[in-house]
């Protein structure tokens, strides 16, 4: 086990290089199962969830090797369609192999992901939509047993709710279906556009016909693409907030500012000074942080994956604020820990009321989920003294070299084995 020791409260100054996106990498790795040849992926982040997905693909018969920061996946002998609970339980994105396995083999047995700290995390939207493509499934002892007796047959599908994972699963499955599939009420997160860019390079025929509608013509020929994963917009947003709360001056590199317009607008509203160039953002934090009322929403709304982080900033605002979590049913696990550091946040259903003018005090803390963990690091960076954050394996699921990146811009932070 490891923990982080964080000694506040330096102003962060310097440059941070953003890594590849975890949430773009996971569906693209799953989609490589469509191929029976080689696929070359660049800029994958070195985080735990990627290792877990690679282990899952290897358990399905993929031959995978790293060459510097590039990954070569050879599926010429990939022949298994059973995704075990032991691998899927730690990373709910494991359900994303269901679509490609059905597309390739016409049958699959995939463990249900189970819940996690931020909610029950059902997959009913995935399964209902797959059944419209001709999939028959049963849930037996925590596994989805799915078959497509007549193969996948294209049709019109309207998602009953906006779901990133369900959109991704269906885009991948429909790419090999017979005929045309029209998906509507799709999620439009940038990671989905990156997935589509990859699938088109793979030889698939996919196009957006309106804001949330995608048209897919089934294909069966496959190329050997090379694809560079897009930047991690949530990592970028996290470090922007780090600069805002420490009155720092950071240059965030390897980003596309236009993709995180909402986050930039939000941080300007609270008083940060932000300047953008083609692939970088400079942010200067402001001593006087203005309050704000925020609600999370599907892209291009404010991302739920930055909700815990922005809450830290709003605790330091000059008046009270509120945050409404409209995506997940239990994503306030960080509140209790922040309140132990002196925050005064009260929860009423899916709404958090946040008292301003808080000075966080150092404390020993417990991480619970990926984004809650990083909010504790952010709060600890603002205190005068030493905080300890336990169970940082949650953090390592989605942030590459977080202590190295923060140390490089002046944070006093170290990883300790316990
Ligand atoms: C993706 O999760 C991301 N994960 C999440 O990031 C992100 O928070 C989420 O999208 C929303 O943006 C990956 O991309 C690997 P959803 P996903 O399906 O696909 C409910 C992180 O921190 N729902 O859009 O699971 C669901 O419970 C992670 O990097 C159903 O009810 O999210 C949630 O309340 C956390 N039935 C809402 O919809 C379903 O079949 C949105 O979920 C599917 C989802």
């Amino acid at each position: 086990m490891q923990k982080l020791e964080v000694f506040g409260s330096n102003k962060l100054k310097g440059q941070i290089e953003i890594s590849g996106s975890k949430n773009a990498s996971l569906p693209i790795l799953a989609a490589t199962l469509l191929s029976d040849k080689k696929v070359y992926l660049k800029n994958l982040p070195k985080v735990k969830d990627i290792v877990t997905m690679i282990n899952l693909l290897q358990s399905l018969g993929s031959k995978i090797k790293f060459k510097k920061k590039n990954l070569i996946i050879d599926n010429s002998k990939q022949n298994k369609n059973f995704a075990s609970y032991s691998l899927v339980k730690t990373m709910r994105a494991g359900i994303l192999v269901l679509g490609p396995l059905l597309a390739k083999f016409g049958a699959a047995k995939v463990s249900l992901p189970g819940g996690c700290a931020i909610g029950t995390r059902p997959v009913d939207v995935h399964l209902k939509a797959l059944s419209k493509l001709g999939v028959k499934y049963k849930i037996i002892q925590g596994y989805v047993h799915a078959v497509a007796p007549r193969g996948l047959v294209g049709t019109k599908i309207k998602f009953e709710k906006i779901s990133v994972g369900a959109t991704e699963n269906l885009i991948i499955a429909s790419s090999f279906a017979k005929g045309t599939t029209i998906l509507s009420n799709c999620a439009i997160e940038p990671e989905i556009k990156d997935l589509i860019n990859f699938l088109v390079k793979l030889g698939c025929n996919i196009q957006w016909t309106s804001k949330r509608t995608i048209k897919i013509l089934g294909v069966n020929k496959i190329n050997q693409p090379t694809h560079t994963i897009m930047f991690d917009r949530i990592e970028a947003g996290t470090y922007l907030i780090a600069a805002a709360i420490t009155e720092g001056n950071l240059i965030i590199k390897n980003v596309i500012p236009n993709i995180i317009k909402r986050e930039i607008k939000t941080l300007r509203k609270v008083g940060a000074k932000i300047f953008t160039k083609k692939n970088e953002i400079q942010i200067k934090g402001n001593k006087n942080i203005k309050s704000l009322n925020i609600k999370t929403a599907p892209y291009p709304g404010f991302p739920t994956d930055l909700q815990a982080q922005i809450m830290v900033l709003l605790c330091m605002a000059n008046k009270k604020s509120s945050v409404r979590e409209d995506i997940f049913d239990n994503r306030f696990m960080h509140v209790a820990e922040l309140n132990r550091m002196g925050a005064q946040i009260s929860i009423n259903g899916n709404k958090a009321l946040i008292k301003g003018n808080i000075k966080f005090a150092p404390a020993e803390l417990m991480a619970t989920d990926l984004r809650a963990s990083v909010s504790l690091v952010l709060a600890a960076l603002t205190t005068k003294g030493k905080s300890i954050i336990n169970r940082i394996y949650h953090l390592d699921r989605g942030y590459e070299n977080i202590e190295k990146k923060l140390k490089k811009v002046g944070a006093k932070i170290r990883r300790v084995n316990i």
Side-chain angles (χ1 to χ4, degrees):
M1 286 278 248
Q2 294 181 319
K3 63 182 179 182
L4 280 181
E5 289 182 352
V6 184
F7 304 79
S9 64
N10 292 3
K11 295 183 177 180
L12 302 182
K13 290 188 182 344
Q15 298 192 357
I16 292 183
E17 311 249 333
I18 298 302
S19 304
S21 164
K22 165 180 84 79
N23 290 352
S25 302
L26 292 171
I28 288 171
L29 282 165
T32 64
L33 288 167
L34 288 177
S35 164
D36 55 3
K37 299 187 179 82
K38 280 186 181 166
V39 172
Y40 303 84
L41 297 179
K42 296 172 182 281
N43 198 36
L44 283 155
K46 285 193 172 38
V47 295
K48 184 85 182 65
D49 273 7
I50 301 305
V51 174
T52 304
M53 181 60 93
I54 287 171
N55 291 342
L56 175 54
L57 294 181
Q58 286 171 323
S59 75
L60 294 166
S62 294
K63 297 285 174 253
I64 297 179
K65 57 180 181 219
F66 260 105
K67 231 172 160 180
K68 297 194 186 82
K69 277 197 94 169
N70 302 339
L71 195 77
I72 303 167
I73 302 178
D74 180 353
N75 282 328
S76 52
K77 295 189 177 57
Q78 189 275 322
N79 57 5
K80 297 189 182 77
N81 64 353
F82 167 66
S84 78
Y85 174 67
S86 60
L87 285 162
V88 174
K89 70 181 176 196
T90 60
M91 181 201 57
R92 55 166 279 103
I95 194 68
L96 294 174
V97 303
L98 181 60
L101 290 174
L102 283 166
K104 193 170 182 178
F105 299 111
K109 181 179 166 190
V110 175
S111 169
L112 281 172
C116 69
I118 62 177
T120 49
R121 311 297 293 274
V123 290
D124 54 312
V125 176
H126 299 238
L127 296 175
K128 279 184 198 141
L130 284 168
S131 57
K132 297 214 173 99
L133 282 181
V135 175
K136 307 274 180 244
Y137 67 87
K138 280 201 183 80
I139 309 287
I140 306 168
Q141 292 178 327
Y143 280 83
V144 179
H145 294 246
V147 285
R150 293 196 311 282
L152 300 179
V153 181
T155 183
K156 282 191 178 150
I157 299 171
K158 181 174 174 23
F159 291 108
E160 59 187 44
K161 73 188 298 185
I162 292 175
S163 158
V164 171
T167 301
E168 292 165 343
N169 237 333
L170 270 289
I171 291 171
I172 299 168
S174 308
S175 293
F176 266 27
K178 294 183 201 74
T180 303
T181 302
I182 308 282
L183 301 176
S184 53
N185 199 29
C186 295
I188 58 173
E189 270 63 5
E191 294 77 23
I192 290 176
K193 298 191 171 156
D194 205 31
L195 169 65
I196 290 173
N197 292 341
F198 166 72
L199 287 169
V200 168
K201 285 180 192 171
L202 195 66
C204 300
N205 187 327
I206 305 170
Q207 51 190 333
W208 294 90
T209 54
S210 71
K211 185 180 177 199
R212 290 189 182 274
T213 304
I214 299 171
K215 181 179 177 186
I216 301 159
L217 272 62
V219 297
N220 50 25
K221 68 165 179 49
I222 284 294
N223 306 326
Q224 290 204 141
T226 296
H227 182 74
T228 299
I229 302 288
M230 71 171 281
F231 76 100
D232 194 312
R233 64 187 169 101
I234 305 301
E235 184 194 20
T238 302
Y239 289 124
L240 287 172
I241 293 170
I245 59 172
T246 60
E247 227 188 309
N249 182 347
L250 287 180
I251 294 181
I252 309 291
K253 298 182 78 74
N254 307 339
V255 294
I256 302 174
N258 195 40
I259 284 184
I260 50 174
K261 276 191 297 203
R262 175 61 62 102
E263 294 84 335
I264 291 171
K265 192 170 156 212
T266 302
L267 289 168
R268 281 179 171 148
K269 264 195 197 159
V270 302
K273 294 277 173 283
I274 295 180
F275 314 93
T276 61
K277 283 186 187 161
K278 188 167 176 295
N279 288 121
E280 67 181 51
I281 299 170
Q282 181 177 13
I283 179 168
K284 291 182 180 167
N286 188 321
K287 192 173 184 59
N288 177 26
I289 296 170
K290 298 191 188 86
S291 65
L292 212 49
N293 298 319
I294 285 189
K295 56 184 188 353
T296 63
Y299 195 87
F302 190 86
T304 174
D305 292 350
L306 281 178
Q307 179 255 100
Q309 300 93 311
I310 202 80
M311 203 181 268
V312 173
L313 177 67
L314 294 176
C315 288
M316 299 168 68
N318 53 14
K319 287 204 296 287
K320 68 180 186 331
S321 303
S322 69
V323 169
R324 211 175 77 189
E325 172 54 57
D326 279 346
I327 304 285
F328 285 105
D329 50 11
N330 179 34
R331 202 170 197 175
F332 287 139
M333 301 292 278
H334 43 287
V335 167
E337 291 300 274
L338 292 177
N339 284 345
R340 289 183 59 242
M341 297 178 81
Q344 293 189 39
I345 306 168
S346 57
I347 306 289
N348 178 8
N350 69 335
K351 196 164 178 181
L353 299 174
I354 302 155
K355 191 169 174 304
N357 299 306
I358 293 292
K359 286 204 178 334
F360 288 107
E364 176 149 10
L365 303 155
M366 184 79 77
T368 50
D369 63 85
L370 170 57
R371 308 302 174 182
S373 323
V374 84
S375 74
L376 304 183
V377 175
L378 293 178
L381 286 172
T382 70
T383 67
K384 292 199 179 326
K386 168 175 148 180
S387 297
I388 293 173
I389 298 156
N390 294 301
R391 296 192 180 173
I392 54 167
Y393 55 85
H394 289 291
L395 204 50
D396 294 334
R397 292 189 48 187
Y399 285 93
E400 183 177 358
N401 295 332
I402 184 164
E403 70 270 23
K404 284 198 192 97
K405 292 188 181 185
L406 284 171
K407 223 181 275 183
K408 190 166 154 264
V409 293
K412 284 189 277 174
I413 180 171
R414 66 181 180 169
R415 182 181 289 255
V416 177
N417 289 318
I418 36 181

